[in-house]
Amino acid sequence: MSLLRPIARCLRSGLACFALASGVQAGAQGAVQGAAAPHHTASGFQNNDVDNVSRGLVDLLRWRWQAWREGLPPPPATPIPVQAPDLGLLQGYAQVWQQHAQSGAAAVPAPSPAVTWIGHATALVQAGGLNVLTDPLFSERASPVSWAGPKRTPQAGVAMDDLPPIDVVVISHNHYDHLDKHSLVQLHERSQRLGHATAFLVPLRLKGLLAGWGIAGVQELDWWQSARVGGTDFFLTPVQHWSARGLFDRNRTLWGGWSVFGPDLHWYFAGDTGYSRDFAQTRAHFADRQAAAQGGGFDLALLPVGAYEPRWFMQQQHVNPAEAVRIHQDLGAKRSIGVHWGTFELTDEPLDQPPHDLQAARDAAGLAPAAFHVLAVGETQALPARPVADAQTQAKTAAASGARP
């Protein structure tokens, strides 16, 4: 058997190898100005618990050779579940919220917060009167090129033209299956056509990339920094991962998860991550906003449950479902939904395996099915509204309205 065959397959797979291989190189040039925080380095950024989570070229070729030899990943045994989206509900949310805000709860009840899984790490979260997209990816492939790379299956659960006007886009990091140029440019152009302002919130040193694509309204944040949009606070918080879009830019831009605090929902989005102490530390950091008297912990966590095999290669950068359950517990989340699965073949497990492994991990942890589960592509789940806004949200909302907190 020739070594050229698995290498050629690696090249054809596009992102799965390109993104991982790009971490092999350490040729980043220049320096990040004003590096002071522990996760800042002379050339970029690092994780809190480990300096580098990407693997070397020898390990990459070993993985691809083993996968080719063993015929991995196998095809899914069952189709990925798909559900037609409730477009009336999605598109009418903001209008109902506005009517509620203008007329009061007695006349028009507030719409329930809701989350819709569009596919991979893309979800539409509707809460606090905002329509928020996580890591939007609507393209056919997760790849730097349109003609090669992992191909989407099934299609996006909600077509871009069927989305409501988007208020906020949050980006976790710059890998091609999370930061898709075509999708972001289309979203920006659509917002302009609708006359709607969209805020694009990104980790440090990504603003220039989006600005170069003609995207306005971009704000970049460091870990623990926040942006406030429409009465909701968006904090970029640490996770264990890495960044690169080429062969010579490893860890030049920051990565992170998002901790979001709105008047009716506290929610969390991890993006991509390995397991670390970051999640327990995030819970501790926001303890003053999530005391029991203020409604408790995160009402929703969107956690990755796919792209985790083989463990010897993936463990530090991608959690498996058992580790995702630990993150759920570390965050003190009331409910978690698994994302980052069932859309692109990136690693060795079949596309339909993550829900089975999640069920086993959930059962082993003694969690109820409703505590941590997955949605069908296109499915919307309504969420209970947070009973009490935290003190900081109450004070800021009162100040914005000119009232005394």
Side-chain angles (χ1 to χ4, degrees):
M1 288 182 284
S2 170
L3 279 172
L4 295 177
R5 295 175 67 184
I7 293 174
R9 181 177 176 182
C10 177
L11 293 174
R12 286 195 302 271
S13 70
L15 169 89
C17 289
F18 179 83
L20 292 166
S22 63
V24 170
Q25 304 295 328
Q29 302 296 317
V32 174
Q33 299 299 316
H39 63 285
H40 290 222
T41 70
S43 61
F45 304 95
Q46 64 184 4
N47 291 292
N48 284 327
D49 288 348
V50 293
D51 292 339
N52 181 31
V53 302
S54 54
R55 306 296 295 242
L57 179 59
V58 172
D59 284 341
L60 175 71
L61 294 177
R62 173 189 165 199
W63 166 40
R64 298 316 302 159
W65 168 261
Q66 291 177 343
W68 174 79
R69 185 179 60 189
E70 298 173 20
L72 300 174
T78 57
I80 304 304
V82 176
Q83 181 173 310
D86 187 341
L87 297 181
L89 179 69
L90 303 186
Q91 295 170 356
Y93 168 80
Q95 181 178 0
V96 176
W97 178 274
Q98 187 174 17
Q99 292 172 349
H100 162 75
Q102 292 174 345
S103 62
V108 180
S112 296
V115 58
T116 303
W117 187 43
I118 295 175
H120 198 54
T122 307
L124 172 66
V125 181
Q126 298 179 289
L130 298 178
N131 295 312
V132 183
L133 276 180
T134 64
D135 287 353
L137 176 53
F138 292 84
S139 297
E140 187 71 11
R141 296 183 185 272
S143 172
V145 296
S146 61
W147 46 267
K151 191 172 183 180
R152 177 186 290 274
T153 176
Q155 295 303 303
V158 182
M160 185 176 294
D161 287 343
D162 290 332
L163 290 170
I166 300 302
D167 300 295
V168 182
V169 169
V170 293
I171 299 295
S172 63
H173 64 294
N174 73 351
H175 289 162
Y176 287 92
D177 60 325
H178 293 261
L179 178 60
D180 180 58
K181 175 182 178 180
H182 184 65
S183 297
L184 293 182
V185 170
Q186 280 193 316
L187 282 168
H188 173 64
E189 292 176 347
R190 180 174 184 264
S191 292
Q192 288 186 314
R193 290 195 303 270
L194 296 174
H196 192 83
T198 299
F200 293 82
L201 305 183
V202 302
L204 278 183
R205 297 183 68 85
L206 280 175
K207 181 177 180 178
L209 180 65
L210 272 65
W213 296 341
I215 297 174
V218 183
Q219 183 173 350
E220 61 181 20
L221 304 174
D222 200 353
W223 287 347
W224 306 117
Q225 290 183 337
S226 67
R228 187 167 177 83
V229 182
T232 294
D233 292 326
F234 294 80
F235 284 82
L236 184 70
T237 49
V239 300
Q240 183 171 292
H241 204 54
W242 58 285
S243 66
R245 287 178 76 82
L247 295 178
F248 304 104
D249 64 340
R250 182 183 61 173
N251 295 346
R252 289 285 290 160
T253 65
L254 190 57
W255 52 91
W258 290 94
S259 297
V260 184
F261 301 90
D264 60 346
L265 191 75
H266 288 189
W267 60 278
Y268 179 87
F269 171 61
D272 263 354
T273 187
Y275 182 74
S276 69
R277 296 175 298 170
D278 292 321
F279 310 101
Q281 291 171 351
T282 294
R283 181 181 184 179
H285 186 88
F286 295 117
D288 64 333
R289 303 189 72 151
Q290 297 188 323
Q294 296 173 309
F298 288 105
D299 305 293
L300 170 70
L302 301 173
L303 303 179
V305 296
Y308 50 85
E309 294 290 351
R311 295 311 292 150
W312 67 265
F313 192 94
M314 292 293 170
Q315 185 167 13
Q316 287 192 318
Q317 54 189 306
H318 284 176
V319 294
N320 63 14
E323 291 165 327
V325 166
R326 293 178 66 188
I327 294 175
H328 166 85
Q329 295 171 320
D330 287 352
L331 290 171
K334 301 171 188 174
R335 174 185 290 100
S336 291
I337 291 176
V339 298
H340 200 267
W341 72 278
T343 311
F344 299 101
E345 284 191 344
L346 302 178
T347 51
D348 286 358
E349 78 276 3
L351 280 179
D352 61 340
Q353 187 62 37
H356 301 291
D357 289 351
L358 176 60
Q359 179 180 349
R362 186 182 62 217
D363 291 346
L367 296 177
F372 197 160
H373 60 103
V374 297
L375 300 178
V377 175
E379 182 180 357
T380 298
Q381 179 169 340
L383 304 165
R386 193 171 184 83
V388 181
D390 65 86
Q392 293 186 41
T393 298
Q394 289 177 341
K396 291 178 180 179
T397 301
S401 65
R404 300 184 64 175

